[in-house]
Amino acid sequence: MASTTWIGIACGTSTTAPNDETVPKVDASPEVDAGSEVDAGPEVDAGPDAERPSQEATFAIGGTVIGLEGSGLVLQNNAGDDLPITQDGSFTLPTKLPSGATYAVTVLQQPSSPSQTCSVSGGTGTVGSADVGSILVNCATDKYAVGGTVSGLVGTGLVLQINGGGDLPVTANGTFAFPTPLASGQSYIITVLRQPENPWQTCTVDNPTGTVGDVAVEDVAVTCTTNSYKVKGTVTGLVGTGLVLENHEGDTLPIQSDGPFEFPTPVESGATFQVTVKQSPVGPQQTCVVSPASGTVAGADVDVAVTCSTDKFRVTGTLTGLTHGSIVLQNNGGDDLTLTADGPFSFETLVEDGTTYAVSVLSRPLDLSCTVKDHAGTISTSDVTVTVECRKYNRVFVTSATYTGNLGGLAGADAKCQELADAANLGGTYRAWLSVSGTPANSRLTHSTLPYGLVDGTLIANDWDHLVSNAMDLAAPITMTETGETKTTDPFSCAWTGSYDGGFAFGQDCNKWTSEAANETGTAGHLGDVEDFWESSCLYTLCNREKSLYCFEQSAE
């Protein structure tokens, strides 16, 4: 019987697998029963070409990350095999896969700070016979809207800006957002580029600055309030006292003098103002006009002008007694007013309150005396009325010429008076106030019930009784000549009379007014006197001295 021989082959050579994986040594010798003695025989070398058992190869899965700025990015493959990524560049997942295996690389966790979204390109496939290194992870920073809310807006034209641009018109209260989102991590500052108008407002921004995170910014608060402006102005022309201005009802402002003023209460833009004169000035009375008096407050202080002017009043009156011709009146030396008939009249020029008026007679018929009652005064908040009364009167004048005591007697003196009156176109018949013994002045002159007055109409006596009264002074001295000129009243200005109080003959008459002898005397009156001795105050005047005459019109009544 043939015997069986067992041959044992021991494979101890270590084989290196692809990717440097080491294949463990395998003991191929079958277990030999120790009880049977076997002869192994000589060891046989398998040689280099001998077949070896096969080992499965694996391959790396990886790629490149670009655009990464945040932190916390985690990739995974086939829902596992997590790989944190901290920066741009290549990456390799921890676990290799054998050829034929599938892979699916996804983002397990997106980056933050800033918030980013990373997308995977070429992340799925089947492993071939080489490493996979073509996967691309592209990270882009997330962008979020920046906005908030607007409240209190009533005007128009509000424009917001972000970071000096991105103009955003806002037309109504509510939420707003800038049209261009900002990248996470980007800082922002929101400002008001243009404030609202109509009405003008001031809008302020709360939480205007910050850094975009990983959600939209919605906490910016824009609060608008309507602006208030001053109502002020300037007063001119104020001379009275007590002026009070008012804006609407209740906001009153006393004004003391010309210059600027300002109401205490501001007025909101869009609201109206109405400035009125609550109380006009007095002393003098004035009227103050406001311009513009009302309107709507816009986007600036309101300036008004208050112009005050003193009220003016009429000087009026009534004329009586103008029987012929015309009369010319004046007020304050001007504003001539010609009247041709009795009745009411009014000067054309108004007179300011608090100022004076003075009505006078500039011209009148020569044979009429016209006097103004209440002719002067001060205007006080109303028109004034004067009365002008004209009546025929006996004209009296002192001669412009002077004479010695040789007057040619009474007749010669009367002739001198008449000659001067005719030369001055006075009209009428005139006699000298002259007495001689036996023929006193009070017997040769007409005793008239009409007034006596100077040629300009100035009253000197109400009638004859007044003229010769010892109890009544003359109303005015006889100092005006036939031409209306006024003579001086120095101590030597006298007129021959030959009379004493009441027109009686005094006895000194320069030999019945026919002598100019230096040793004879005559009685004369001083031109400036109005007392009862007006005709005798220059006693014992030498007849060779030249003196005037008093000439009296003889009434035709």
Side-chain angles (χ1 to χ4, degrees):
M1 178 176 180
S3 61
T4 301
T5 301
W6 296 91
I7 299 173
I9 299 174
C11 297
T13 303
S14 174
T15 304
T16 301
N19 297 324
D20 298 326
E21 292 185 7
T22 301
V23 179
K25 294 178 180 180
V26 178
D27 185 1
S29 301
E31 187 176 340
V32 179
D33 187 359
S36 301
E37 186 174 345
V38 179
D39 182 6
E43 187 175 342
V44 180
D45 183 5
D49 295 325
E51 291 186 4
R52 295 177 174 81
S54 62
Q55 179 65 33
E56 186 177 29
T58 59
F59 302 94
I61 308 298
T64 304
V65 174
I66 60 173
L68 179 62
E69 295 179 3
S71 59
L73 173 61
V74 178
L75 303 178
Q76 64 176 190
N77 185 24
N78 295 329
D81 201 19
D82 296 354
L83 176 63
I85 303 295
T86 60
Q87 62 184 11
D88 281 354
S90 61
F91 68 89
T92 301
L93 289 160
T95 303
K96 297 180 179 181
L97 297 180
S99 178
T102 62
Y103 60 92
V105 177
T106 57
V107 176
L108 173 63
Q109 179 176 292
Q110 298 284 4
S112 61
S113 300
S115 174
Q116 292 188 284
T117 297
C118 298
S119 59
V120 181
S121 298
T124 61
T126 301
V127 178
S129 59
D131 293 338
V132 176
S134 61
I135 299 172
L136 177 64
V137 179
N138 192 350
C139 297
T141 302
D142 296 334
K143 293 183 177 181
Y144 297 95
V146 177
T149 58
V150 174
S151 61
L153 178 63
V154 291
T156 59
L158 172 63
V159 178
L160 302 179
Q161 273 193 333
I162 186 167
N163 294 336
D167 296 0
L168 176 65
V170 179
T171 60
N173 290 319
T175 59
F176 72 91
F178 286 94
T180 303
L182 296 186
S184 176
Q186 183 176 352
S187 62
Y188 61 87
I189 177 169
I190 296 175
T191 55
V192 177
L193 174 64
R194 180 180 172 190
Q195 297 286 3
E197 299 178 359
N198 297 317
W200 274 252
Q201 293 188 283
T202 297
C203 299
T204 58
V205 183
D206 291 328
N207 302 322
T209 61
T211 301
V212 178
D214 56 2
V215 294
V217 176
E218 298 177 343
D219 63 347
V220 179
V222 179
T223 304
C224 299
T225 57
T226 301
N227 300 338
S228 292
Y229 297 96
K230 298 174 182 177
V231 177
K232 56 190 184 71
T234 304
V235 175
T236 58
L238 179 62
V239 292
T241 59
L243 173 62
V244 178
L245 301 178
E246 184 175 42
N247 185 25
H248 288 297
E249 294 184 1
D251 196 10
T252 57
L253 181 65
I255 303 294
Q256 307 297 330
S257 61
D258 280 354
F261 68 87
E262 180 182 309
F263 282 98
T265 305
V267 179
E268 281 191 349
S269 176
T272 59
F273 68 92
Q274 185 173 11
V275 178
T276 57
V277 177
K278 184 177 179 65
Q279 181 175 297
S280 294
V282 295
Q285 180 173 303
Q286 293 189 283
T287 297
C288 298
V289 178
V290 183
S291 178
S294 61
T296 301
V297 177
D301 292 342
V302 174
D303 276 298
V304 301
V306 180
T307 304
C308 298
S309 59
T310 302
D311 294 345
K312 296 181 178 181
F313 298 94
R314 294 189 177 277
V315 177
T316 65
T318 303
L319 172 65
T320 61
L322 183 64
T323 57
H324 60 280
S326 63
I327 182 173
V328 178
L329 303 178
Q330 284 190 325
N331 182 30
N332 293 330
D335 198 20
D336 293 4
L337 177 63
T338 301
L339 303 175
T340 59
D342 288 352
F345 64 85
S346 176
F347 285 96
E348 181 177 355
T349 303
L350 303 180
V351 181
E352 287 188 347
D353 186 53
T355 60
T356 59
Y357 65 93
V359 179
S360 59
V361 178
L362 177 63
S363 66
R364 80 271 184 281
L366 293 177
D367 60 343
L368 294 181
S369 172
C370 299
T371 57
V372 185
K373 291 184 178 180
D374 302 320
H375 73 286
T378 301
I379 301 293
S380 179
T381 71
S382 64
D383 296 341
V384 296
T385 301
V386 300
T387 301
V388 180
E389 294 181 350
C390 293
R391 55 181 176 171
K392 187 171 178 57
Y393 75 109
N394 299 299
R395 286 163 288 179
V396 178
F397 64 87
V398 60
T399 60
S400 57
T402 57
Y403 313 94
T404 66
N406 184 8
L407 297 171
L410 294 176
D414 292 343
K416 288 177 171 52
C417 284
Q418 189 66 51
E419 181 183 358
L420 291 176
D422 291 345
N425 296 316
L426 295 181
T429 301
Y430 290 83
R431 286 185 177 180
W433 186 277
L434 206 59
S435 297
V436 296
S437 296
T439 309
N442 61 16
S443 67
R444 64 185 220 92
L445 274 67
T446 302
H447 294 198
S448 177
T449 59
L450 294 176
Y452 291 82
L454 304 178
V455 296
D456 68 348
T458 301
L459 181 71
I460 63 171
N462 296 326
D463 50 26
W464 176 267
D465 290 340
H466 181 188
L467 193 64
V468 298
S469 172
N470 291 329
M472 296 177 65
D473 296 339
L474 297 181
I478 307 172
T479 56
M480 185 171 287
T481 71
E482 72 281 358
T483 61
E485 296 180 356
T486 301
K487 279 199 164 186
T488 60
T489 56
D490 61 57
F492 302 102
S493 298
C494 300
W496 297 118
T497 65
S499 309
Y500 70 95
D501 305 350
F504 293 97
F506 192 73
Q508 296 182 33
D509 55 16
C510 294
N511 192 23
K512 297 187 184 299
W513 305 113
T514 61
S515 173
E516 56 184 19
N519 60 351
E520 292 190 75
T521 60
T523 301
H526 187 260
L527 299 188
D529 290 342
V530 294
E531 293 84 358
D532 56 356
F533 50 82
W534 61 270
E535 53 186 320
S536 60
S537 51
C538 295
L539 294 172
Y540 309 110
T541 300
L542 298 178
C543 294
N544 65 345
R545 302 292 175 85
E546 290 192 355
K547 302 298 176 184
S548 300
L549 291 174
Y550 288 136
C551 301
F552 283 73
E553 183 180 14
Q554 303 305 288
S555 176
E557 59 179 329

